[in-house]
Amino acid sequence: MLFALPWLIGFLCFQLYPILCALYYSLTNFSVFGKPEFIGLKNYKTLVSDPKVLQSLGNTLYMVVFGLPIGLLMALLAAMMLNRNRHGKAFFRAAFYIPTVIPLVAACMLFLWLLNPEYGLIGYVFDLFGLTSPSWISDPKYTKAALILLDTWRCGQSAIIFLAALQAIPVSYYEAADIDGATRWQKFWKITLPSIAPTVEFLLIMGIIQSFQYFTQGFVFASYSSEQFTVTGGPKNSLLFFGLYLYQNAFSYIKMGYASALAILMFIIVAVVTIVAFRTIEKRINYESD
């Protein structure tokens, strides 16, 4: 208990206490500058009729349904390439991991320059092929696609975890498959994927939790696209993610009570989706290594 005490104190002070406070403040009208006024479930009733809540949830689900699978797929492909015994593999492993070391805000600013249709490098590539570069930042059709490009570029951490799982697969499995005449595709589906299934489950669950808390990238891109240089939801609120809308209510509108209700709603949604995903995936995974 003595060795666990620092963690227990941190958990009680910085996790459990804020959660309980958020639960209490969600039942009040609280603007920080005054005392909380108890209003019952009024904040939760407002959630039901708030159109921005539904829109922000839709934008967040878009990143969960499309952005997360694309990022995991690219990480797996990168890991499979890095797993090959080739010259310079240490350099390429470091090169894939470096983007995750770059601060997220700096990476966002870099991609804002790359995606600029007038002088960005990606726009220049489009010009080489005689194509018109989309307005990645100002067109609501492409704003979330730009964020998916950014997140895919930063898939190095997931790739390293996949690489560790791939290297843990016994070589004898593939040797036996070669003797039986299995193709690469068959070896992938029958050996590789089942062997790394627990790793896929871990990255998927963690990715779902992180995607529902999507904030920094949307905050930077939305602030850049705003003509008033204020925190908005981007073009037609296409970048208004749930975490960003929570931030706006808490720190822009100073509605701490309503923001707390949004936080409790996020907690419930993430918990339910995570439990459902975990139980669905767990039935199809074999955790035995032999």
Side-chain angles (χ1 to χ4, degrees), residues 17-28 38 40 44 257 260-261 263-264:
Y17 177 71
I19 291 174
L20 295 177
C21 286
L23 182 61
Y24 168 70
Y25 288 138
S26 68
L27 303 175
T28 65
F38 186 80
Y44 292 97
S260 298
I264 297 300

Side-chain angles (χ1 to χ4, degrees), residues 78-112:
M80 294 181 68
M81 290 188 293
L82 294 173
N83 193 38
R84 296 183 178 181
N85 293 321
R86 301 238 175 128
H87 294 292
K89 62 181 180 181
F91 167 78
F92 288 107
R93 290 177 183 178
F96 271 95
Y97 189 74
I98 284 176
T100 63
V101 180
I102 300 175
L104 186 53
V105 175
C108 290
M109 298 305 297
L110 173 63
F111 263 74
L112 285 173

